[in-house]
Amino acid sequence: MQDNDVILVDEKDREIGSMNKMEAHHGAHLHRAISVFITNTKGEWLLQQRTKDKYHSKGLWSNTCCSHPAPGEKTGEAAARRLMQEMGIAAELTDMFSFTYKAELENGLTEHEIDHVFWGTTDDLPQPNPQEVMGYRYIDYTSLRKELSSNPGLYTEWFKMIAEKVYQKMDNKASQ
């Protein structure tokens, strides 16, 4: 498994090849990604603060974990793998939805991804990987919305785009 390669896709999420992760981000090539959202049984969201060593979005708050499936790896497998690698926890994950976005970041990088979003619930305490995560916290959704509104610069671009969608999907599942 090449952890530095991403899966290139077309606009319908059909695999068309692979490329080095940094090359894909410098060239704004469309590729597959995963985002994992974990809540505890109280409904609080588990957020991570990205380390200052990340190649982009350094020190920003984001969803529980995010990454890219490696060539040949299914999105659900990548989500479970990265949840363990970044946060040191496991949870049963539900594939919620996917969406396409493009965001220009610092250092001439662009995230152009079809992001597969997963959600799970666990009360296991994280054991974050210090190479990936410099902090974590739990927050209720109402407080999170206030923070996103008053301090959007503290959060990653993709998190700001999908937090509301995730909440709506979670709320719909809970009411069924």
Side-chain angles (χ1 to χ4, degrees):
M1 183 180 328
Q2 287 291 335
D3 212 22
N4 289 325
D5 285 352
V6 296
I7 301 168
L8 298 177
V9 295
D10 67 14
E11 55 282 335
K12 294 189 184 221
D13 199 25
R14 293 181 296 226
E15 188 172 340
I16 58 173
S18 63
M19 180 180 281
N20 174 273
K21 175 172 59 175
M22 292 305 292
E23 188 179 341
H25 287 121
H26 276 291
H29 297 279
L30 184 61
H31 58 280
R32 195 172 289 154
I34 52 104
S35 290
V36 179
F37 288 76
I38 295 294
T39 58
N40 60 22
T41 54
K42 293 190 269 185
E44 297 168 321
W45 290 33
L46 174 58
L47 304 183
Q48 72 151 272
Q49 186 177 25
R50 294 166 60 87
T51 68
K52 302 258 184 193
D53 296 331
K54 289 284 193 174
Y55 62 100
H56 68 74
S57 307
K58 301 170 185 210
L60 297 181
W61 287 97
S62 197
N63 46 290
T64 309
C65 77
C66 51
S67 190
H68 308 93
E73 185 179 34
K74 293 182 179 358
T75 56
E77 293 168 357
R81 173 179 59 84
R82 289 303 297 177
L83 180 59
M84 183 55 72
Q85 286 176 341
E86 290 185 30
M87 299 301 285
I89 56 176
E92 185 176 324
L93 299 175
T94 301
D95 187 346
M96 297 181 76
F97 61 91
S98 62
F99 76 107
T100 303
Y101 78 98
K102 189 174 187 179
E104 291 185 20
L105 306 171
E106 71 273 15
N107 303 327
L109 300 175
T110 301
E111 286 280 21
H112 189 197
E113 300 180 333
I114 295 181
D115 194 6
H116 293 258
V117 180
F118 293 83
W119 169 68
T121 301
T122 183
D123 286 324
D124 291 349
L125 287 178
Q127 303 294 316
N129 177 344
Q131 294 178 326
E132 299 282 345
V133 180
M134 74 182 213
Y136 74 89
R137 65 186 171 131
Y138 289 91
I139 187 169
D140 67 84
Y141 187 70
T142 301
S143 299
L144 176 60
R145 284 189 73 182
K146 287 178 187 170
E147 277 192 26
L148 283 167
S149 177
S150 62
N151 292 304
L154 298 178
Y155 294 89
T156 61
E157 290 302 316
W158 61 91
F159 183 72
K160 291 184 280 192
M161 289 180 206
I162 60 177
E164 179 74 23
K165 291 179 189 179
V166 170
Y167 179 74
Q168 289 171 356
K169 294 275 187 184
M170 287 169 43
D171 196 39
N172 287 342
K173 282 188 182 283
S175 65
Q176 291 177 357

